[in-house]
Amino acid sequence: MQDAITALINTSDVQGRYLDNSGVEKLKAYFQSGELRARAAIAISANANTLVTQAVAKSLMYTDITAPGGNMYTCRRYAACIRDLDYFLRYATYAMLAGDPSILNERILNGLRETYNSLGVPIGATIRALQAMKDVTTGLVGTEAGQEMGIYFDYLCAGLS
């Protein structure tokens, strides 16, 4: 996993050059948004269970996925869905704090689509739940921090598509 700082420095180092004005401006923006990202992470951490529950209620409850024979129909399957959505939320929060989505590839996306397909987990429903989580998270942390978190939810959705 990298953060925004390491990514910029590594790129310049590989090219054998100092940070240019663009790199310095990116670092400046990253540092200026630090308090916003930290406050958002604290709010998300304190409300993670509620965010996941609201996302499921908003996107998956009372659909064919929760009916008998649906993919969330037993308590075990429902619990696995909740667990996975909690992982997605936690790692999206880590990525937001780091300012770099690479952790999402390393810890979640690499091989997930194939695993879900082999297990019969509906990718479309997972993406709907992630989009709902993006909405409920924005409702909690506010528009500006919600837009920042949205980048990482969108990254997850694109990676699963």
Side-chain angles (χ1 to χ4, degrees):
M1 175 177 93
Q2 293 191 94
D3 57 34
I5 300 164
T6 306
L8 281 168
I9 291 171
N10 284 346
T11 301
S12 293
D13 185 42
V14 166
Q15 297 171 355
R17 62 177 177 80
Y18 289 95
L19 287 175
D20 58 13
N21 286 340
S22 173
V24 172
E25 288 301 315
K26 287 178 184 176
L27 286 175
K28 184 178 175 183
Y30 176 74
F31 289 126
Q32 287 175 338
S33 66
E35 185 177 340
L36 174 77
R37 287 181 283 107
R39 278 189 277 117
I42 290 168
I44 291 166
S45 176
N47 295 283
N49 290 338
T50 301
L51 291 170
V52 171
T53 302
Q54 287 177 352
V56 169
K58 185 175 181 174
S59 62
L60 302 175
M61 290 304 248
Y62 311 111
T63 65
D64 60 341
I65 199 168
T66 59
N71 220 311
M72 278 179 58
Y73 179 65
T74 62
C75 289
R76 191 175 127 253
R77 286 182 176 178
Y78 182 84
C81 176
I82 296 295
R83 177 206 61 213
D84 286 0
L85 291 173
D86 186 62
Y87 288 160
F88 294 145
L89 179 61
R90 182 164 41 101
Y91 281 108
T93 304
Y94 293 163
M96 181 264 310
L97 284 167
D100 187 333
S102 67
I103 189 174
L104 300 175
N105 292 328
E106 295 170 23
R107 304 289 169 90
I108 292 183
L109 292 173
N110 288 343
L112 183 65
R113 186 173 182 18
E114 295 78 14
T115 301
Y116 272 14
N117 283 332
S118 72
L119 294 172
V121 175
I123 301 289
T126 303
I127 291 171
R128 266 196 328 273
L130 286 168
Q131 290 167 338
M133 197 167 347
K134 175 181 164 182
D135 293 342
V136 297
T137 300
T138 298
L140 173 71
V141 299
T143 304
E144 190 177 0
Q147 287 174 339
E148 181 69 26
M149 276 299 290
I151 293 167
Y152 305 98
F153 287 124
D154 292 343
Y155 192 89
L156 286 168
C157 291
L160 286 170
S161 296

